[in-house]
Coordinates of all heavy atoms in Angstrom, one line a residue:
A6 N 112.0 210.1 60.2 CA 112.4 210.9 59.0 C 111.9 210.1 57.7 O 111.4 210.8 56.8 CB 114.0 211.0 58.9
R7 N 112.0 208.8 57.8 CA 111.5 208.0 56.6 C 110.0 208.2 56.4 O 109.6 208.2 55.3 CB 111.9 206.6 56.8 CG 113.4 206.3 56.6 CD 113.8 204.9 57.0 NE 115.2 204.7 56.7 CZ 116.0 203.7 57.2 NH1 115.4 202.9 58.1 NH2 117.2 203.5 56.8
E8 N 109.3 208.2 57.5 CA 107.9 208.4 57.4 C 107.5 209.8 56.9 O 106.6 210.0 56.1 CB 107.2 208.1 58.8 CG 107.2 206.7 59.1 CD 107.1 206.4 60.6 OE1 107.0 207.4 61.4 OE2 107.0 205.2 61.0
E9 N 108.3 210.8 57.3 CA 108.1 212.1 56.7 C 108.4 212.2 55.2 O 107.8 213.0 54.5 CB 109.0 213.2 57.5 CG 108.8 213.2 59.0 CD 107.4 213.8 59.4 OE1 106.5 214.0 58.5 OE2 107.3 214.0 60.6
M10 N 109.4 211.3 54.8 CA 109.7 211.3 53.4 C 108.5 210.8 52.6 O 108.2 211.3 51.5 CB 110.9 210.3 53.1 CG 112.2 210.9 53.6 SD 113.5 209.6 53.4 CE 114.8 210.4 54.5
W11 N 107.7 209.8 53.1 CA 106.5 209.3 52.5 C 105.5 210.5 52.4 O 104.8 210.7 51.4 CB 105.9 208.1 53.2 CG 106.6 206.8 52.9 CD1 107.4 206.1 53.8 CD2 106.6 206.2 51.7 NE1 107.8 205.0 53.1 CE2 107.4 205.0 51.8 CE3 106.1 206.4 50.4 CZ2 107.6 204.1 50.8 CZ3 106.3 205.5 49.4 CH2 107.1 204.4 49.6
H12 N 105.4 211.2 53.5 CA 104.4 212.3 53.5 C 104.7 213.3 52.4 O 103.8 213.8 51.7 CB 104.5 213.1 54.9 CG 103.9 212.3 56.0 ND1 103.8 212.8 57.3 CD2 103.5 211.0 56.1 CE1 103.3 211.9 58.1 NE2 103.1 210.8 57.4
M13 N 106.0 213.7 52.3 CA 106.4 214.6 51.3 C 106.2 214.0 49.9 O 105.8 214.7 48.9 CB 107.9 214.9 51.5 CG 108.5 216.0 50.5 SD 110.2 216.3 51.0 CE 110.7 217.4 49.6
H14 N 106.5 212.7 49.7 CA 106.3 212.1 48.4 C 104.8 212.0 48.0 O 104.5 212.3 46.8 CB 106.8 210.6 48.5 CG 106.7 209.8 47.3 ND1 107.2 210.2 46.1 CD2 106.0 208.7 47.0 CE1 106.9 209.3 45.1 NE2 106.2 208.4 45.7
W15 N 103.9 211.7 48.9 CA 102.5 211.7 48.5 C 102.1 213.1 48.0 O 101.4 213.2 47.0 CB 101.6 211.4 49.7 CG 101.9 210.0 50.3 CD1 102.4 208.9 49.6 CD2 101.7 209.6 51.6 NE1 102.5 207.9 50.5 CE2 102.1 208.2 51.7 CE3 101.3 210.2 52.8 CZ2 102.1 207.5 52.9 CZ3 101.2 209.5 54.0 CH2 101.6 208.2 54.1
L16 N 102.5 214.2 48.7 CA 102.1 215.5 48.3 C 102.7 215.9 46.9 O 102.1 216.5 46.1 CB 102.6 216.5 49.3 CG 102.0 216.3 50.7 CD1 102.7 217.2 51.8 CD2 100.5 216.7 50.7
G17 N 104.0 215.5 46.7 CA 104.7 215.8 45.5 C 104.1 215.1 44.3 O 104.0 215.6 43.2
M18 N 103.7 213.8 44.5 CA 103.0 213.1 43.5 C 101.7 213.7 43.0 O 101.4 213.7 41.8 CB 102.8 211.6 43.9 CG 104.0 210.8 44.0 SD 104.7 210.3 42.4 CE 103.5 209.1 41.9
I19 N 101.0 214.2 44.0 CA 99.7 214.9 43.7 C 100.0 216.1 42.8 O 99.3 216.4 41.8 CB 99.0 215.3 44.9 CG1 98.5 214.0 45.7 CG2 97.8 216.2 44.6 CD1 97.9 214.3 47.1
I20 N 100.9 216.9 43.2 CA 101.3 218.2 42.5 C 101.7 217.8 41.1 O 101.3 218.5 40.1 CB 102.3 219.0 43.2 CG1 101.7 219.6 44.5 CG2 102.8 220.1 42.3 CD1 102.7 220.3 45.4
G21 N 102.6 216.8 40.9 CA 103.1 216.4 39.6 C 102.0 215.9 38.7 O 101.9 216.2 37.5
K22 N 101.1 215.1 39.3 CA 100.0 214.6 38.5 C 99.0 215.7 38.0 O 98.4 215.6 37.0 CB 99.2 213.6 39.4 CG 98.1 212.8 38.6 CD 97.5 211.7 39.5 CE 96.5 210.9 38.7 NZ 95.9 209.9 39.6
M23 N 99.0 216.8 38.8 CA 98.1 217.9 38.5 C 98.8 218.8 37.4 O 98.2 219.8 37.0 CB 97.8 218.7 39.7 CG 96.9 218.0 40.7 SD 96.6 219.0 42.2 CE 95.6 220.3 41.6
G24 N 100.1 218.5 37.1 CA 100.8 219.4 36.2 C 101.5 220.5 36.8 O 101.9 221.5 36.1
G25 N 101.6 220.5 38.1 CA 102.3 221.6 38.8 C 103.7 221.4 39.0 O 104.3 220.4 38.7
E26 N 104.4 222.4 39.6 CA 105.8 222.4 39.9 C 106.0 222.3 41.4 O 105.6 223.3 42.1 CB 106.5 223.6 39.3 CG 108.0 223.6 39.5 CD 108.7 222.4 38.8 OE1 108.3 222.1 37.6 OE2 109.7 221.9 39.4
P27 N 106.6 221.3 41.9 CA 106.8 221.2 43.4 C 107.9 222.2 43.8 O 108.9 222.4 43.1 CB 107.3 219.8 43.6 CG 107.8 219.3 42.3 CD 107.0 220.0 41.2
D28 N 107.6 222.8 45.0 CA 108.6 223.7 45.6 C 109.4 222.9 46.6 O 108.9 222.4 47.6 CB 107.9 224.9 46.3 CG 108.8 225.9 46.8 OD1 110.0 225.7 46.9 OD2 108.4 227.0 47.2
L29 N 110.7 222.8 46.4 CA 111.6 221.9 47.2 C 112.4 222.7 48.2 O 113.5 222.3 48.7 CB 112.4 221.0 46.4 CG 111.6 220.0 45.6 CD1 112.5 219.3 44.6 CD2 111.0 219.0 46.6
T30 N 111.9 223.9 48.6 CA 112.6 224.7 49.6 C 112.0 224.4 50.9 O 110.8 224.6 51.2 CB 112.4 226.2 49.3 OG1 112.8 226.6 48.0 CG2 113.1 227.1 50.3
P31 N 112.8 223.9 51.9 CA 112.3 223.5 53.2 C 111.9 224.7 54.0 O 112.5 225.8 53.9 CB 113.4 222.8 53.9 CG 114.6 223.3 53.2 CD 114.3 223.6 51.8
A32 N 110.8 224.6 54.8 CA 110.4 225.6 55.7 C 111.3 225.6 56.9 O 112.1 224.6 57.1 CB 109.0 225.4 56.2
P33 N 111.3 226.6 57.8 CA 112.1 226.5 59.0 C 111.5 225.5 59.9 O 110.3 225.2 59.9 CB 111.9 228.0 59.6 CG 111.4 228.8 58.5 CD 110.7 227.9 57.6
Y34 N 112.3 224.9 60.8 CA 111.8 224.0 61.8 C 112.2 224.6 63.1 O 113.3 224.4 63.6 CB 112.5 222.6 61.6 CG 111.8 221.5 62.5 CD1 111.0 220.5 61.9 CD2 111.8 221.6 63.9 CE1 110.4 219.5 62.7 CE2 111.2 220.6 64.7 CZ 110.5 219.6 64.1 OH 109.8 218.7 64.9
P35 N 111.3 225.3 63.8 CA 111.6 225.9 65.0 C 111.8 224.9 66.2 O 110.9 224.0 66.4 CB 110.3 226.8 65.3 CG 109.2 226.1 64.5 CD 109.9 225.5 63.3
H36 N 112.9 224.9 66.8 CA 113.2 224.0 67.9 C 114.2 224.7 68.9 O 115.0 225.5 68.5 CB 113.7 222.7 67.4 CG 115.1 222.7 66.8 ND1 115.3 223.3 65.5 CD2 116.3 222.4 67.3 CE1 116.6 223.2 65.2 NE2 117.2 222.7 66.3
D37 N 114.1 224.3 70.1 CA 115.0 224.8 71.2 C 116.2 223.8 71.2 O 116.0 222.7 71.7 CB 114.2 224.8 72.5 CG 115.1 225.4 73.6 OD1 116.3 225.5 73.5 OD2 114.5 225.8 74.7
P38 N 117.4 224.2 70.8 CA 118.5 223.3 70.7 C 119.3 223.2 72.0 O 120.5 222.8 72.0 CB 119.4 223.9 69.6 CG 119.1 225.4 69.8 CD 117.7 225.6 70.2
T39 N 118.8 223.7 73.2 CA 119.5 223.7 74.4 C 120.1 222.4 74.8 O 121.2 222.2 75.2 CB 118.6 224.3 75.5 OG1 118.1 225.6 75.2 CG2 119.5 224.4 76.8
N40 N 119.2 221.4 74.8 CA 119.6 220.0 75.1 C 118.6 219.0 74.6 O 117.6 219.5 73.9 CB 119.7 219.8 76.7 CG 118.5 220.3 77.4 OD1 117.3 220.0 77.0 ND2 118.7 221.1 78.4
R41 N 118.8 217.7 74.8 CA 117.8 216.8 74.2 C 116.4 217.0 74.7 O 115.4 216.8 73.9 CB 118.3 215.3 74.5 CG 119.5 214.9 73.7 CD 119.7 213.4 74.0 NE 120.9 212.8 73.3 CZ 122.1 212.8 73.7 NH1 122.4 213.3 75.0 NH2 123.1 212.3 73.0
K42 N 116.3 217.3 76.0 CA 114.9 217.4 76.5 C 114.2 218.6 75.8 O 113.0 218.4 75.4 CB 115.0 217.7 78.0 CG 113.6 217.8 78.7 CD 113.8 217.9 80.2 CE 112.5 217.9 80.9 NZ 111.9 216.5 80.9
T43 N 114.8 219.7 75.6 CA 114.1 220.8 74.9 C 113.9 220.5 73.4 O 112.9 220.9 72.8 CB 114.9 222.1 75.1 OG1 116.2 222.0 74.5 CG2 115.1 222.5 76.5
I44 N 114.9 219.8 72.8 CA 114.7 219.4 71.4 C 113.5 218.5 71.2 O 112.7 218.8 70.3 CB 116.0 218.7 70.9 CG1 117.2 219.7 70.9 CG2 115.8 218.1 69.5 CD1 118.5 219.0 70.5
F45 N 113.4 217.5 72.0 CA 112.3 216.6 71.8 C 110.9 217.2 72.2 O 109.9 216.9 71.6 CB 112.5 215.3 72.6 CG 113.3 214.3 71.9 CD1 114.6 214.1 72.3 CD2 112.9 213.6 70.8 CE1 115.5 213.2 71.6 CE2 113.7 212.7 70.1 CZ 115.0 212.5 70.5
K46 N 111.0 218.1 73.1 CA 109.7 218.9 73.5 C 109.3 219.7 72.2 O 108.1 219.8 71.9 CB 110.0 219.8 74.6 CG 108.8 220.6 75.1 CD 109.1 221.4 76.3 CE 107.8 222.2 76.8 NZ 108.1 223.0 78.0
S47 N 110.3 220.3 71.5 CA 110.0 221.0 70.3 C 109.4 220.1 69.2 O 108.5 220.5 68.5 CB 111.3 221.7 69.7 OG 111.9 222.6 70.7
Y48 N 109.9 218.9 69.1 CA 109.4 218.0 68.1 C 107.9 217.6 68.4 O 107.1 217.5 67.5 CB 110.2 216.7 68.1 CG 111.7 216.8 67.7 CD1 112.5 215.7 67.8 CD2 112.2 218.0 67.2 CE1 113.9 215.8 67.4 CE2 113.5 218.1 66.8 CZ 114.3 217.0 66.9 OH 115.6 217.1 66.5
V49 N 107.6 217.4 69.7 CA 106.2 217.1 70.0 C 105.3 218.3 69.6 O 104.2 218.1 69.0 CB 106.1 216.9 71.5 CG1 104.6 216.8 71.9 CG2 106.8 215.7 72.0
A50 N 105.7 219.5 69.9 CA 104.9 220.7 69.5 C 104.8 220.8 68.0 O 103.7 221.2 67.5 CB 105.6 222.0 70.1

């Protein structure tokens, strides 16, 4: 999660530097919540 925060930060810094407005609405994260095995399989995909 912390590494994904850096990813998001790099992108946001670029948009801000360009004079744009960042969109902070998260996209859906499709995953199968049946159990841990299906959840982690979804993360890999």
